[in-house]
């Protein structure tokens, strides 16, 4: 793309341009991506501000006039994704969040949305992808579910939107045949990936969300938790006891399971080509 004002005549590249279908907006959204791989001492508030202001936001500002992008017919260009990977073993998530909380973003003429992925976000998404791959190996077909705010409409999409990608809760429904002791049984599984702090109350809240958002019509409810088991096992045990008692009183045979997602220190090899 090329700048029209202070850097007129100077072009700059982008690392990636892709689009995805955003269910809540009912259209394709183009996303400009910048990717950075740095040692931890090269990641700080000043550098992040530079990447946002002088690369992501500048590219979004110039994209509508860029002749290289005319044939894509994707408008408007108002969404950016900054991926920051700390390539040594010194990533500090709390410090990174502190940097983000203090960023100073230059005012622009138009409104833009910018998402930032760090090691923490990238690795938790690797864990989610790993679970979905396992479901496919078991013969299950899955889709992401996008509940409406009124709970009356449910949208299904194979793609995970950027908004949902950063959510503390991600809904999935999977369908397929599962082998039992005696035969094959067709099953529908309602799944929620939980990236929030886990308590008995938060799990009950998510179970209520299953019902509110029309995900209750399933054979199994599965909660995938992104927490270390030892830290939350008491809350999980209390939740399961409470829920099993409720289901028994309703004479329902629904199976409820809580599983734990893997924690990765780096990108797992099986996901490098995804």
């Amino acid at each position: 793309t090329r700048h029209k004002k202070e850097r007129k005549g100077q072009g700059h590249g982008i690392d990636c341009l892709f689009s995805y279908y955003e269910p809540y907006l009912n259209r394709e959204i183009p996303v400009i991506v910048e990717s950075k791989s740095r040692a931890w001492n090269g990641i700080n508030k000043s550098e992040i501000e530079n990447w946002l202001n002088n690369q992501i936001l500048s590219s979004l500002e110039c994209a509508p006039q860029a002749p290289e992008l005319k044939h894509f017919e994707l408008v408007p260009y108002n969404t950016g994704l900054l991926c920051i990977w700390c390539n040594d073993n010194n990533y500090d998530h709390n410090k990174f969040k502190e940097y983000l909380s203090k960023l100073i973003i230059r005012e622009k003429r138009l409104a833009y949305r910018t998402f930032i992925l760090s090691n923490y976000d990238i690795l938790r998404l690797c864990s989610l992808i790993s679970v979905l791959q396992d479901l496919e190996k078991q013969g299950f077909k899955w889709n992401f579910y996008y509940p409406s705010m009124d709970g009356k409409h449910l949208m299904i999409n194979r793609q995970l939107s950027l908004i949902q990608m950063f959510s503390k809760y991600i809904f999935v429904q999977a369908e397929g045949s599962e082998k039992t002791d005696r035969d094959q049984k067709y099953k529908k599984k309602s799944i929620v990936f939980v990236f929030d702090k886990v308590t008995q109350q938060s799990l009950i809240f998510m179970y209520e969300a299953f019902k509110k958002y029309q995900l209750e019509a399933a054979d199994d409810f599965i909660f995938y938790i992104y927490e270390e088991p030892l830290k939350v096992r008491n809350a999980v045990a209390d939740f399961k006891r409470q829920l099993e008692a409720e289901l028994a009183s309703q004479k329902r045979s629904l199976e409820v399971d809580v599983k734990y997602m893997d924690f990765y220190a780096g990108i797992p090899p099986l996901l490098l080509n995804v």
Side-chain angles (χ1 to χ4, degrees):
T1 64
R2 294 192 175 275
H3 290 274
K4 295 178 64 178
K5 298 179 182 179
E6 68 273 9
R7 293 174 59 188
K8 186 176 180 180
Q10 298 182 30
H12 59 88
I14 58 176
D15 289 336
C16 178
L17 170 67
F18 74 92
S19 70
Y20 76 94
Y21 177 74
E22 175 54 65
Y24 291 120
L25 298 178
N26 193 30
R27 63 179 175 84
E28 287 284 316
I29 301 293
V31 182
I32 288 178
V33 182
E34 285 291 338
S35 300
K36 305 298 176 184
S37 178
R38 300 286 191 275
W40 178 245
N41 60 14
I43 299 173
N44 52 56
K45 173 182 173 291
S46 176
E47 282 296 327
I48 298 171
E49 286 177 348
N50 175 51
W51 296 331
L52 280 173
N53 288 314
N54 298 325
Q55 295 185 40
I56 285 281
L57 292 178
S58 292
S59 294
L60 288 171
E61 200 170 36
C62 296
Q65 291 80 38
E68 300 90 342
L69 302 181
K70 291 293 185 183
H71 66 282
F72 286 108
E73 298 182 352
L74 293 170
V75 291
Y77 288 96
N78 62 4
T79 304
L81 177 62
L82 175 60
C83 302
I84 303 173
W85 179 257
C86 174
N87 57 25
D88 56 25
N89 295 320
N90 298 315
Y91 175 75
D92 185 333
H93 189 53
N94 289 329
K95 191 67 177 177
F96 188 85
K97 289 192 296 183
E98 180 185 326
Y99 292 152
L100 297 188
S101 69
K102 298 179 179 179
L103 292 179
I104 298 174
I105 308 302
R106 287 205 304 264
E107 185 175 345
K108 295 291 184 179
R109 183 171 57 89
L110 300 176
Y112 299 107
R113 300 187 308 166
T114 302
F115 299 86
I116 301 177
L117 284 172
S118 67
N119 287 47
Y120 171 81
D121 305 295
I122 293 167
L123 293 176
R124 74 181 179 90
L125 290 172
C126 286
S127 297
L128 184 148
I129 293 169
S130 179
V131 172
L132 297 178
Q133 286 183 334
D134 286 342
L135 285 171
E136 289 184 347
K137 290 176 184 177
Q138 297 167 28
F140 283 88
K141 295 182 179 179
W142 54 265
N143 283 289
F144 294 106
Y145 268 51
Y146 297 88
S148 64
M149 297 305 293
D150 60 11
K152 296 179 180 179
H153 303 90
L154 200 60
M155 295 169 281
I156 304 172
N157 200 333
R158 179 76 175 184
Q159 293 178 324
L160 181 64
S161 77
L162 280 177
I163 294 173
Q164 283 292 92
M165 188 182 292
F166 287 86
S167 172
K168 293 181 179 179
Y169 305 100
I170 296 175
F171 295 100
V172 169
Q173 191 157 68
E175 299 182 42
S177 295
E178 187 172 75
K179 188 175 182 180
T180 65
D181 293 336
R182 291 176 292 181
D183 54 14
Q184 292 281 122
K185 182 179 180 182
Y186 188 84
K187 278 196 168 186
K188 182 183 287 186
K189 299 176 183 284
S190 286
I191 300 168
V192 60
F193 292 90
V194 181
F195 298 102
D196 198 5
K197 181 176 177 60
V198 171
T199 64
Q200 180 185 358
Q201 290 72 27
S202 69
L203 292 173
I204 289 293
F205 172 79
M206 288 315 304
Y207 172 66
E208 293 299 324
F210 270 130
K211 295 188 287 186
K212 178 179 179 181
Y213 296 134
Q214 304 172 338
L215 289 165
E216 197 179 17
D219 301 295
D220 297 346
F221 283 176
I222 305 177
F223 294 77
Y224 278 96
I225 295 174
Y226 195 65
E227 284 261 24
E228 295 178 14
L230 287 176
K231 293 182 178 180
V232 297
R233 62 182 179 182
N234 290 335
V236 168
D238 290 342
F239 160 72
K240 291 189 71 175
R241 279 194 296 269
Q242 180 177 342
L243 189 53
E244 286 166 359
E246 178 182 328
L247 294 173
S249 69
Q250 299 170 355
K251 297 182 179 180
R252 297 186 61 188
S253 59
L254 185 70
E255 294 185 20
V256 179
D257 199 4
V258 177
K259 299 184 178 182
Y260 296 92
M261 303 171 70
D262 291 327
F263 279 84
Y264 294 115
I267 306 296
L270 75 161
L271 298 180
L272 288 176
N273 296 320
V274 172

